[in-house]
């Protein structure tokens, strides 16, 4: 096993450098987006390029070769990647969040994950915990299934929730860190958009998980990581807030890509049934462009406030209170909605050819419509959660995703 001290001596790139690297991959991701969708997985050369650029170790501890970046960096990197491919940006966000969770396990687990490979990737799923769990000497034996595990096709490890039995007959919910080669993947991700995320179902069948690869869920959920997080990780947050940042970055990047495409094509496209020379001469096109641009700009501002809020609390060494956490969840949902509405407007402005299968706009439209309806964003729950907090009640009575 490699020496973690030697690895940590490598200079860590700053935010500007990491974002520049992400921006440099835009053309590659854009070129491979069609294959990504057709194969329902991010192409290996894209994953390799993101890995070689260090963009999948943003949340990996520095002592083990990672960057230990802040949330603003994660957001800006995911946004830059999303301008090339929403699916690639989405899995980058999830895998970085998964690495964050893996960094909270006992040091022996961190050494096991990254000691020989600082680019090791950990998928993460926050679905219902597996109930078929037995205590065993030195750990537990787990059987269960977890759906919607984005990035599982490109991960070396998977973190999922399990319900560990206790003498009090109240299960102890914990994260279990499992090697990807010890679980199986069921091909269940057949969706209209975000096809390349490979968000399939992971299955464990009587898998032994040692104690050093178990960690309580509630403290991580609440950001109560004192004495757990490595000193070089400059953040603390409720898990769900961190998890959303990479996802909304992918949506913003996709919306920006759609905006750029429509603007670039406007001067060469006619306005059917009119005497306008091209779309840019039409007041309706101009109004649609202004509306979409304003919504994307607003989404970016909201997303930056979420990320900066997390970073500000981290620098102050304080846990984020429930009201702010609930606000962050609602605002994450608002970012998704604004991106979705902006892209809807852009496709209308471009015209019906936007829905031609050869046109990248229809792929962006489907990706953002699916991604913005992630369980963390949809069905009116974020509004209920924040409203409950604003009247002094516990939002966790409605949803644990706070």
């Amino acid at each position: 096993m490699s020496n973690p001290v030697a690895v940590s001596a490598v200079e860590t790139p700053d935010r500007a450098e990491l974002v520049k690297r992400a921006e440099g991959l835009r053309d590659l991701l854009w070129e491979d987006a069609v294959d990504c969708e057709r194969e329902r997985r991010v192409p290996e050369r894209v994953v390799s390029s993101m890995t070689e650029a260090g963009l999948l170790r943003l949340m990996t501890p520095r002592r083990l070769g990672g960057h230990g970046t802040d949330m603003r960096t994660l957001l800006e990197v995911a946004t830059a990647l999303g301008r090339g491919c929403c699916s690639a940006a989405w899995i980058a966000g999830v895998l970085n969040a998964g690495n964050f969770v893996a960094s909270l396990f006992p040091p022996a687990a961190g050494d096991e994950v990254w000691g020989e490979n600082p680019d090791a990737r950990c998928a993460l799923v926050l679905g219902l915990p597996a109930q078929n769990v037995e205590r065993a000497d030195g750990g537990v034996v787990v059987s269960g299934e977890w759906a919607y595990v984005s990035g599982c096709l490109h991960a070396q490890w998977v973190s999922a929730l399990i319900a560990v039995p206790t003498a009090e007959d109240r299960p102890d919910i914990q994260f279990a860190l499992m090697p990807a080669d010890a679980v199986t993947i069921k091909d269940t991700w057949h969706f209209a958009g975000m096809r390349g995320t490979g968000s399939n179902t992971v299955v464990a069948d009587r898998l032994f998980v040692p104690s050093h690869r178990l960690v309580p869920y509630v403290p991580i959920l609440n950001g109560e990581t004192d004495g757990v997080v490595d000193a070089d990780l400059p953040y603390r947050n409720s898990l769900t807030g961190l998890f959303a940042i990479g996802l909304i970055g992918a949506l913003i990047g996709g919306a920006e890509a759609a905006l750029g495409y429509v603007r670039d094509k406007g001067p060469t496209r006619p306005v059917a049934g009119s005497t306008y020379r091209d779309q840019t001469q039409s007041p309706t096109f101009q109004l649609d462009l202004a509306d979409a641009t304003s919504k994307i700009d607003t989404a970016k501002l909201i997303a930056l406030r979420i990320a900066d809020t997390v970073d500000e609390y981290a620098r102050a060494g304080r846990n984020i209170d429930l009201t702010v956490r609930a606000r962050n969840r609602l605002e994450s949902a608002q970012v998704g909605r604004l991106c979705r509405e902006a892209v809807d407007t852009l496709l209308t402005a471009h015209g019906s050819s936007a829905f031609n299968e050869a046109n990248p706009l229809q792929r962006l439209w489907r990706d953002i419509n699916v991604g913005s309806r992630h369980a963390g964003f949809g069905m009116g729950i974020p509004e209920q959660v924040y409203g409950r907090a604003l009247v002094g009640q516990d939002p966790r009575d409605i949803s644990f995703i706070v």
Side-chain angles (χ1 to χ4, degrees):
M1 183 173 291
S2 62
N3 184 346
V5 176
V7 172
S8 66
V10 177
E11 183 177 353
T12 301
D14 61 14
R15 178 187 303 155
E17 172 61 24
L18 290 166
V19 174
K20 180 181 177 181
R21 294 179 189 180
E23 291 171 342
L25 296 179
R26 195 265 184 187
D27 289 345
L28 171 65
L29 270 61
W30 185 262
E31 178 183 342
D32 280 8
V34 173
D35 289 342
C36 176
E37 180 169 73
R38 182 179 60 249
E39 301 298 326
R40 295 187 300 114
R41 62 183 295 149
V42 177
E44 286 306 316
R45 77 164 183 164
V46 170
V47 178
S48 296
S49 295
M50 293 193 297
T51 300
E52 291 167 6
L55 304 180
L56 301 183
R57 56 166 104 167
L58 301 181
M59 304 285 108
T60 303
R62 292 180 184 174
R63 73 176 184 87
L64 292 169
H67 302 323
T69 60
D70 59 13
M71 296 300 101
R72 180 72 173 264
T73 302
L74 174 62
L75 174 64
E76 293 189 11
V77 166
T79 299
L81 294 173
R83 297 184 191 113
C85 175
C86 291
S87 289
W90 188 276
I91 72 161
V94 172
L95 292 173
N96 275 303
N99 286 353
F100 167 79
V101 169
S103 76
L104 303 181
F105 284 75
D111 292 338
E112 191 174 359
V113 172
W114 293 295
E116 295 181 353
N117 178 17
D119 285 315
R121 302 180 289 267
C122 304
L124 171 68
V125 59
L126 300 180
L128 294 175
Q131 301 292 324
N132 192 353
V133 181
E134 305 169 13
R135 289 189 175 274
D137 289 343
V140 295
V141 176
V142 178
S143 294
E145 295 189 3
W146 301 268
Y148 308 122
V149 188
S150 299
C152 64
L153 298 176
H154 309 284
Q156 288 77 42
W157 298 83
V158 177
S159 289
L161 295 175
I162 64 172
V164 180
T166 66
E168 292 78 20
D169 202 30
R170 291 186 60 183
D172 179 18
I173 308 302
Q174 300 200 20
F175 271 114
L177 184 61
M178 302 170 287
D181 59 8
V183 299
T184 57
I185 297 175
K186 291 171 64 175
D187 185 7
T188 55
W189 184 249
H190 298 268
F191 277 64
M194 288 291 185
R195 292 176 177 173
T197 62
S199 304
N200 293 298
T201 299
V202 168
V203 181
D205 183 13
R206 294 201 58 79
L207 176 65
F208 176 73
V209 181
S211 297
H212 71 273
R213 285 199 262 114
L214 299 172
V215 69
Y217 168 60
V218 172
I220 295 177
L221 178 68
N222 292 332
E224 298 164 354
T225 54
D226 289 334
V228 180
V229 177
D230 281 308
D232 62 359
L233 293 178
Y235 48 81
R236 54 198 283 168
N237 180 34
S238 66
L239 173 61
T240 50
L242 176 147
F243 187 75
I245 287 174
L247 306 187
I248 59 178
L251 299 176
I252 293 169
E256 289 183 327
L259 174 61
Y261 188 90
V262 171
R263 287 188 65 180
D264 290 346
K265 296 295 184 181
T268 62
R269 286 183 56 77
V271 180
S274 80
T275 59
Y276 290 116
R277 184 188 72 233
D278 59 61
Q279 287 183 334
T280 65
Q281 304 305 305
S282 166
T284 301
F285 181 83
Q286 296 167 11
L287 292 170
D288 284 346
L289 210 60
D291 179 51
T293 302
S294 177
K295 286 180 176 176
I296 294 170
D297 285 345
T298 302
K300 290 166 65 176
L301 289 170
I302 294 172
L304 287 171
R305 179 165 96 148
I306 297 169
D308 288 345
T309 296
V310 174
D311 288 337
E312 288 167 8
Y313 272 83
R315 285 190 291 268
R318 297 165 51 207
N319 285 338
I320 300 179
D321 64 66
L322 279 172
T323 300
V324 175
R325 284 162 54 180
R327 186 192 74 192
N328 284 352
R329 181 174 176 189
L330 172 60
E331 291 188 341
S332 295
Q334 289 177 327
V335 169
R337 175 178 53 79
L338 287 165
C339 290
R340 182 173 70 240
E341 292 175 354
V343 171
D344 284 349
T345 298
L346 289 167
L347 267 74
T348 299
H350 186 75
S352 59
S353 67
F355 295 92
N356 187 312
E357 290 185 357
N359 192 316
L361 285 175
Q362 52 80 29
R363 182 182 66 250
L364 293 166
W365 177 71
R366 287 184 288 103
D367 283 347
I368 291 171
N369 268 272
V370 171
S372 63
R373 289 177 170 87
H374 183 276
F377 303 147
M379 297 181 289
I381 300 302
E383 290 83 356
Q384 294 180 39
V385 164
Y386 190 35
R388 177 68 64 96
L390 288 174
V391 296
Q393 299 178 31
D394 193 333
R396 293 169 297 187
D397 292 341
I398 297 174
S399 173
F400 72 90
I401 307 178
V402 183

